[in-house]
Amino acid sequence: MKKIQTDKEAGILLAAALILCWLFVLQYGIFGSRVDWISQHSVLPDYFRQRFYATGNLFPDIAWNLGGGQNIYNFSYYGLFSPVILFSYLLPFVPMGLYIMASSMAAYGASAVLFYQWIKKKFSGGNTGFWTACMFALAGPLIFHSYNQIMFVNYMPFLCLALIGTDRFLQKNKKGLLLLGTTGMILTSFYFSVGGILALGLYGAGTYIAQTEKFSWKDFGKKAGGFTGPLILSVCLCGILLVPTALVLLSRESGGNTTEGMGLFSISPLRFFYSPYGVGLTYLSLGGLMGNLLRKESWKKKILPAGLLLILFVPVFGYLLNGGLYVKDKVFIPFLPLVCLETGKYVENLRKGRDRSGWADLLIQVLPGIFLIGYSLFRESAQGISQKWLIGGIGLAVAADMAFFLLSQKIYGKFPRFPWPLLFSVGILFFSGWAMNSQWKKMLPAGDYEEIIKPEKTDLIKETLEKDKGWYRMEELEGGTQEFADMNRIRDIGQNISSIYSSAYNQDYAGFRNKTFQVNRHFRNCLMEAATDNPIFLNLMGVRYVTGNRPPAGYTLLKKKGDTCLYENEKAFPLAFVTDRVLSEKEYQELSFPDNQSVLLQYGVIEKADQEKPGKKKPISSMKACSLELPVTENQNIQIRKTEKGYEIHALKETEITAQLSGRGETDDLLAVKFHVKNQNLQRDMYIRLEGQTNRLSAEKGYEYANKNQDFSYTVTTEKQKDKAVFIFGKGSYIIEDIQIFTGNLEELREEKLCENPLEGIWFSEGGDRLTGAVRTEKQGYLITSIPYDKNFKITVDGENVEKKKVNTAFLGAKIPKGVHSISISYQAPGKNAGLFLTGGGLVCLAVLVMGRLCRRLLAGCWERNLVNRKLP
C-alpha cells in the first residue's frame, strides 16, 4: 500500500512538472529562450551530431566549421559527450531544437521524481517528503534554466541519482548508482559537477557521521576511501572530456572581467532567495539551516547544516567553485537538494514537536535574512549598481516569508497534520516563479523561432553547397534576432562560418577581430564574435556567399528563395593560398585605420619579411580621407551638440540622423569611420549604427561580460556617388570624438596577384581532423590561411613536416618552396591522448571490478551448493 502511495505521488510530481512547463513557459513561446539557448545550447549539439553523421568520428579534435576552425573542446561545455545529447544521435529524424526542448522538460520532470525517491525515506510519516519535493521542483533555477542556460540544471537528475547511490553505499556498500550518477553528472555538465561532487562529499560525510553511534576517525577513513573510489573512477571514465577541456580552459584568458566590481567578499540575498541564478528558495530554507544548527542535539547531526552555511556564506567557496574567474551565485545550484533536505528535516522536527523554538531562538534564525537585505542594499547604494529595486523587492518578499515562517511554527503546534511551513513556501515559490518567468520574458515566441529555422534558407544553403563543392565560408547577415541566433548555426555540415559564441575560444582570433583588425562589435557580451558585413573582413576570411537583405560591396545577387536572398563574391579569398607578397609584422603594426584592414587585401603579414633595401617601402593602396558632418539639432528625441573634438549626443529614444559626406570619389563603394566613445551613463548600454552596421558599448557596472568597446570602427558598403550616410543613435548620453573618415573602392584596394596560387582539390580525412590539397607556385612563398593559429596544428608538405608560422598576426601559415606540392593540415586536441588513456584505464578498472564481483558471487554460490551437497545423505 505504501509503495502504491509513493508511486502515485511520484506520478503527481511528474504531471505537475509538465503542467508547470506549460504554465510558466510554453503558453508564452517555445521551451527555449531568446538568449543563449538559441545561439548555443540548441545549435552546438546539432553541429556535434552533424559532424558525427558526416565523419563517424565520436571523438573529434577540431570544429572546422565554427569560428574559422577551432579546437572542438572549446565547445565541450555544450554537451560534446553528454549522454543526453549522444542519445539524439540515434534520432536523425528529430530536429535538434525540438529534441533539446523535449529532453529539457524530461530532465526537469526526472529531477523532481528522483529527488522525491531520494528524500521520501528521510521522513517516517506524513507528507513532508512530498511537499519538500514540491519545494525543490519550484525552486527558482530549475524551470527557468531548463529553457535558458540548460547546463545550469540539466545535470540534476544525475546528481539526484548519485545521492540515492550515496545512501545505497552507506547502507549496503553498493557503489553502482553512485558511479553511474556521478559519471552522468560530469559528462552532462562538467562545470557544475565540481559543486555536485562537493555536495555528494558533504552529504556522505554528514550522513555517515550522524548515523554512527561510536565515531572513530579510522572507520571514517575507511568509509571515506570506499566512497571516494567511485568518484575517482567517474573522473577517470570522463577523462576524454575532462583532460582536453581542462587544457583549453587553462590556456585562455578570463571570459569575463574576473572579480572586478563583482564583490569578491560580499554576499547578496540573490544567492539564497527566488533568483534563478542562486539556490532560489524562500527564507524558510535559510531559517531551517539556522534552526538545525542551533537545535540542542548531538554535533554529529549538525555537520550537514554547518557545512552548507559555511559554503553559502564564506565567499571564497564561490570564488573557487567558479574556477577563480569571478564570483557568481550559479555555482551554488548543485547544493539545492541538500538545502531542501535540511529544510524538510527542520519542518519534520516541528511536526514532531522536537523544535518548539521560543521567540529568542526565532529572532536568531531571522537575523541572517535581515542582515543580508540590509547589507546588500548598502553595498548596492555605495557602488551605484542599478539593482537596488531588485534587492528591495526581494527584501519585501523575504519580510513576508519571515512572517509566514514565524506564523507557521505557531500553527504547527495546533495543527500538526500538514507541514504548514512547506505549504507556505511552495505557495510563495509558485507565484514568484510564475511572475519571474512571465515578467522576464526570455522565452522565444514560436513565430520568431519558426522564422529562424525556416526551411527556405536551409534549402537554399544546401542547394548552393551541393552545386559548389569548393572550400569556402558562407555567412548569414540577417540582422536583429536572427543575427544573434546564427552565431553558431550550421545548417549543413558543408557550411563554414567565421562567427563564434562560446565561453572558450581561440585567443589569437578574438584578438585579431577586436584589437588588430578592429571589426565592429554588435553585442554587449565580449564573448560574442558575430558575423559582420565589413566587406574587407568578408573577403579576407574567404566568405564566398552571404544571405541577407542587402549585398556587401563585391557581392551580387545569385539566387532568391522566398524572402531569402543569396549573394556571391567570386573574388573572395581562398581559405588557403601561397604568395610571396608579404609584409613584416613590424611594418604592419605601423599602419593605422583603415590601412590595417585594407592592406590585408594586398599583402600577407609574416613575423619577419625578407630584408628590404634601405628607404624602400612596399606600395600600399589606401583609402583617402574625406569629411562627414552631423547636423547640429535639438528636438524632443535627440540633441546633437558640436564640441571641440567631436559631438555630444543626448538621445531620449533611438533616432535616425543623416550626415553629409564630402570628398568621395565617383566609384567609391566603401566608407570607413572610426571614433572614440565616452558613455556618460555607465549603468546603461549605448550603440550607434552606420548604414546598418552596429557598434555597441556595454554598461561598465553590474555586467561581468562587458565588451569595453570604446573605439567604434565601421567599414560599410555605400552606394556609389552617394554623399550622405545614415546614422542611428541609440538611447543614451554619450560623446564621440577623434572622428576619422575615409572612402575607397573595394576593387581598387584588392590585389589579384596576392592569392593567385590557391590550395586546390581540398579533401578531408575520414575522421574529419585533417585536410589535404595541392598548390602550384613559381616562387618560394608563404602559405596564408584564414584558419586561426593554434600550436597544435601540424602542416606537412609532400609528407614532410614543416614549421608552423603565425601569419596575418593570428592565422596559420608556413613557408613553402616553389613547385607543385601536396599540403596537409591536421589538428590534434592537446590532452586528447591522455584523456583517452584515462578513460580506457577507467573502463578496464570498471570491467575488473564488475568481473571480480561476478566471480565472487559465482564462487559464493558454488560454496553454498557444496555445503548443501555435503549435508545430503
Side-chain angles (χ1 to χ4, degrees):
M1 185 68 181
K2 186 175 179 180
K3 185 178 186 302
I4 295 175
Q5 178 66 20
T6 298
D7 291 342
K8 179 180 178 182
E9 290 177 342
I12 291 173
L13 278 172
L14 181 59
L18 297 178
I19 292 171
L20 288 173
C21 287
W22 176 84
L23 183 64
F24 286 7
V25 185
L26 289 172
Q27 66 168 322
Y28 304 108
I30 65 168
F31 202 75
S33 74
R34 61 176 78 248
V35 194
D36 291 350
W37 187 92
I38 192 62
S39 59
Q40 291 180 318
H41 300 294
S42 64
V43 291
L44 288 171
D46 186 48
Y47 172 67
F48 299 151
R49 186 169 70 171
Q50 287 189 60
R51 196 188 191 287
F52 173 75
Y53 288 161
T55 65
N57 186 0
L58 194 60
F59 304 107
D61 290 83
I62 188 170
W64 295 106
N65 310 74
L66 299 170
Q70 302 198 14
N71 185 335
I72 201 164
Y73 287 92
N74 282 340
F75 313 99
S76 62
Y77 176 69
Y78 305 99
L80 180 60
F81 298 125
S82 167
V84 177
I85 302 302
L86 291 178
F87 183 76
S88 73
Y89 291 15
L90 302 176
L91 307 171
F93 50 86
V94 179
M96 184 58 76
L98 180 61
Y99 178 83
I100 294 295
M101 286 185 267
S103 63
S104 295
M105 287 189 285
Y108 170 59
S111 298
V113 171
L114 287 171
F115 176 83
Y116 174 65
Q117 295 296 331
W118 170 63
I119 205 170
K120 67 182 181 181
K121 299 177 182 178
K122 308 298 180 184
F123 308 108
S124 58
N127 45 19
T128 304
F130 175 77
W131 287 106
T132 303
C134 291
M135 181 179 67
F136 169 81
L138 285 164
L142 286 190
I143 290 184
F144 184 84
H145 287 304
S146 292
Y147 70 95
N148 277 282
Q149 300 273 8
I150 63 175
M151 301 304 171
F152 287 18
V153 295
N154 65 348
Y155 58 88
M156 196 61 75
F158 296 103
L159 176 56
C160 293
L161 191 65
L163 287 168
I164 296 173
T166 300
D167 285 337
R168 285 171 59 86
F169 169 76
L170 294 175
Q171 296 163 9
K172 304 177 181 179
N173 205 35
K174 293 184 177 181
K175 305 175 182 178
L177 280 183
L178 176 60
L179 177 65
L180 178 63
T182 306
T183 303
M185 178 175 62
I186 295 172
L187 291 174
T188 303
S189 187
F190 64 85
Y191 187 91
F192 288 89
S193 69
V194 178
I197 291 173
L198 179 58
L200 291 174
L202 177 61
Y203 172 71
T207 303
Y208 174 79
I209 293 173
Q211 293 174 351
T212 305
E213 292 184 8
K214 294 182 179 180
F215 175 78
S216 74
W217 285 107
K218 183 178 179 180
D219 293 339
F220 177 78
K222 289 181 180 179
K223 201 66 175 178
F227 180 78
T228 305
L231 301 183
I232 294 176
L233 182 55
S234 294
V235 171
C236 291
L237 290 171
C238 301
I240 183 58
L241 170 69
L242 295 178
V243 177
T245 300
L247 292 179
V248 161
L249 297 178
L250 290 172
S251 66
R252 71 173 184 170
E253 298 174 0
S254 169
N257 296 324
T258 66
T259 59
E260 179 184 356
M262 290 295 295
L264 176 57
F265 298 104
S266 64
I267 303 174
S268 168
L270 297 175
R271 178 174 301 180
F272 304 92
F273 311 127
Y274 313 112
S275 170
Y277 294 94
V279 177
L281 295 172
T282 67
Y283 187 79
L284 172 66
S285 297
L286 184 56
L289 288 175
M290 295 298 298
N292 289 344
L293 185 64
L294 295 171
R295 185 182 303 122
K296 295 179 181 180
E297 61 181 358
S298 172
W299 65 271
K300 296 177 182 179
K301 295 185 178 182
K302 298 182 180 182
I303 298 295
L304 191 51
L308 288 171
L309 287 170
L310 186 70
I311 291 170
L312 292 170
F313 271 93
V314 178
V316 69
F317 283 99
Y319 181 67
L320 294 175
L321 289 172
N322 278 293
L325 297 177
Y326 35 57
V327 179
K328 298 181 75 173
D329 295 335
K330 64 183 182 182
V331 293
F332 298 105
I333 297 175
F335 298 94
L336 172 63
L338 301 188
V339 177
C340 289
L341 170 63
E342 287 300 303
T343 306
K345 285 181 179 179
Y346 180 72
V347 173
E348 180 73 355
N349 283 318
L350 285 175
R351 188 180 70 83
K352 293 182 176 181
R354 297 175 183 170
D355 198 0
R356 298 294 185 220
S357 300
W359 286 105
D361 292 335
L362 292 176
L363 182 61
I364 293 175
Q365 293 173 38
V366 301
L367 280 177
I370 297 173
F371 169 78
L372 277 175
I373 300 299
Y375 172 71
S376 298
L377 285 172
F378 171 78
R379 183 172 63 89
E380 302 294 328
S381 178
Q383 294 183 355
I385 300 175
S386 58
Q387 289 187 344
K388 288 182 287 186
W389 64 271
L390 181 59
I391 304 297
I394 289 178
L396 292 174
V398 169
D401 286 355
M402 292 179 184
F404 284 126
F405 176 57
L406 299 174
L407 178 63
S408 62
Q409 294 193 76
K410 298 305 177 184
I411 296 176
Y412 229 157
K414 297 181 179 180
F415 306 98
R417 182 179 178 183
F418 295 103
W420 294 104
L422 286 175
L423 266 64
F424 283 132
S425 185
V426 166
I428 292 171
L429 287 173
F430 174 80
F431 287 108
S432 66
W434 191 357
M436 178 188 64
N437 284 277
S438 62
Q439 291 300 315
W440 285 23
K441 295 181 179 179
K442 291 195 173 185
M443 58 285 292
L444 184 66
D448 291 356
Y449 183 64
E450 291 173 0
E451 179 67 20
I452 289 170
I453 63 170
K454 60 183 180 182
E456 292 87 355
K457 183 183 294 185
T458 301
D459 293 343
L460 186 59
I461 289 174
K462 288 180 178 292
E463 290 171 6
T464 304
L465 293 169
E466 183 65 27
K467 184 177 181 181
D468 188 344
K469 299 291 188 180
W471 187 38
Y472 49 83
R473 294 195 174 95
M474 177 184 289
E475 298 282 13
E476 299 179 42
L477 304 176
E478 306 295 333
T481 302
Q482 183 80 46
E483 183 179 333
F484 180 88
D486 290 337
M487 276 187 283
N488 291 316
R489 188 174 301 277
I490 301 297
R491 297 180 187 268
D492 184 273
I493 196 60
Q495 181 185 5
N496 300 293
I497 60 177
S498 64
S499 58
I500 175 178
Y501 175 28
S502 174
S503 52
Y505 49 88
N506 184 288
Q507 302 285 318
D508 287 318
Y509 183 58
F512 175 80
R513 286 179 57 111
N514 301 320
K515 297 178 182 178
T516 304
F517 191 88
Q518 298 172 308
V519 70
N520 61 298
R521 309 201 70 172
H522 307 212
F523 298 109
R524 69 193 308 249
N525 191 320
C526 66
L527 301 179
M528 295 179 180
E529 304 291 353
T532 177
D533 58 355
N534 181 322
I536 297 177
F537 187 82
L538 293 173
N539 274 264
L540 176 68
M541 293 300 295
V543 180
R544 185 178 180 91
Y545 300 97
V546 300
T547 64
N549 302 317
R550 52 182 288 186
Y555 289 80
T556 57
L557 180 64
L558 178 66
K559 190 183 297 184
K560 184 175 183 180
K561 177 170 286 191
D563 58 353
T564 301
C565 295
L566 178 72
Y567 302 97
E568 180 184 16
N569 181 0
E570 295 181 347
K571 295 184 178 180
F573 282 11
L575 272 59
F577 58 89
V578 175
T579 184
D580 64 336
R581 292 179 57 85
V582 292
L583 291 174
S584 69
E585 277 198 30
K586 182 180 179 181
E587 291 174 296
Y588 178 76
Q589 297 297 341
E590 292 174 352
L591 299 174
S592 58
F593 177 86
D595 287 346
N596 65 325
Q597 296 186 7
S598 61
V599 72
L600 296 176
L601 298 179
Q602 304 160 38
Y603 293 94
V605 176
I606 61 174
E607 186 177 2
K608 292 182 180 179
D610 296 333
Q611 294 295 322
E612 297 281 354
K613 294 181 180 180
K616 183 179 180 181
K617 292 186 177 180
K618 294 185 177 179
I620 295 175
S621 299
S622 302
M623 293 190 192
K624 57 182 180 293
C626 66
S627 63
L628 179 149
E629 192 76 20
L630 286 173
V632 176
T633 184
E634 183 172 345
N635 58 47
Q636 60 181 1
N637 295 328
I638 192 169
Q639 299 177 15
I640 300 178
R641 185 174 64 86
K642 193 170 180 61
T643 64
E644 184 178 347
K645 294 184 177 181
Y647 296 90
E648 184 174 354
I649 299 165
H650 300 278
L652 299 179
K653 60 183 295 186
E654 180 181 277
T655 307
E656 180 178 304
I657 296 293
T658 300
Q660 186 66 41
L661 299 172
S662 59
R664 298 195 72 214
E666 292 185 359
T667 62
D668 289 350
D669 55 6
L670 295 180
L671 182 67
V673 179
K674 183 180 179 181
F675 48 79
H676 182 73
V677 174
K678 292 182 179 179
N679 189 2
Q680 296 181 300
N681 185 353
L682 300 182
Q683 299 178 13
R684 179 185 291 275
D685 292 3
M686 56 81 55
Y687 64 91
I688 299 175
R689 293 192 182 99
L690 171 60
E691 295 294 330
Q693 190 174 110
T694 303
N695 262 298
R696 187 180 302 271
L697 174 60
S698 308
E700 293 186 15
K701 290 189 176 182
Y703 186 56
E704 65 273 17
Y705 294 112
N707 62 20
K708 298 184 178 181
N709 181 31
Q710 295 179 323
D711 292 295
F712 285 12
S713 66
Y714 307 81
T715 301
V716 300
T717 302
T718 59
E719 296 178 10
K720 296 178 181 178
Q721 300 182 350
K722 185 178 180 180
D723 62 354
K724 291 179 175 59
V726 177
F727 282 88
I728 293 179
F729 293 103
K731 181 180 179 180
S733 297
Y734 39 89
I735 297 171
I736 61 174
E737 55 188 23
D738 301 327
I739 303 173
Q740 304 173 51
I741 315 293
F742 300 89
T743 184
N745 178 271
L746 179 64
E747 191 66 29
E748 294 173 0
L749 293 171
R750 186 163 42 198
E751 174 53 62
E752 300 291 345
K753 293 182 180 179
L754 176 62
C755 48
E756 61 184 2
N757 301 315
L759 194 64
E760 298 177 321
I762 305 295
W763 61 274
F764 288 84
S765 63
E766 184 176 348
D769 295 322
R770 185 181 73 253
L771 66 87
T772 302
V775 68
R776 177 192 298 272
T777 176
E778 297 180 357
K779 298 179 181 179
Q780 176 178 278
Y782 288 87
L783 175 69
I784 306 293
T785 78
S786 53
I787 302 169
Y789 179 85
D790 187 315
K791 64 182 180 180
N792 299 291
F793 276 107
K794 178 181 177 182
I795 300 177
T796 64
V797 177
D798 300 327
E800 299 291 330
N801 289 341
V802 297
E803 180 185 1
K804 301 179 295 292
K805 294 186 179 294
K806 189 179 291 187
V807 299
N808 287 352
T809 75
F811 298 93
L812 184 67
K815 197 169 186 177
I816 305 296
K818 68 177 182 180
V820 179
H821 304 287
S822 173
I823 297 178
S824 177
I825 301 174
S826 60
Y827 186 84
Q828 183 171 27
K832 181 184 176 183
N833 287 339
L836 282 171
F837 178 81
L838 196 61
T839 296
L843 289 172
V844 171
C845 290
L846 180 60
V848 170
L849 291 173
V850 171
M851 292 300 296
R853 174 163 289 189
L854 291 175
C855 289
R856 286 195 296 271
R857 288 182 178 178
L858 181 62
L859 289 173
C862 292
W863 180 255
E864 290 177 0
R865 286 193 296 271
N866 187 38
L867 289 176
V868 171
N869 291 333
R870 286 183 180 183
K871 293 179 180 179
L872 293 175

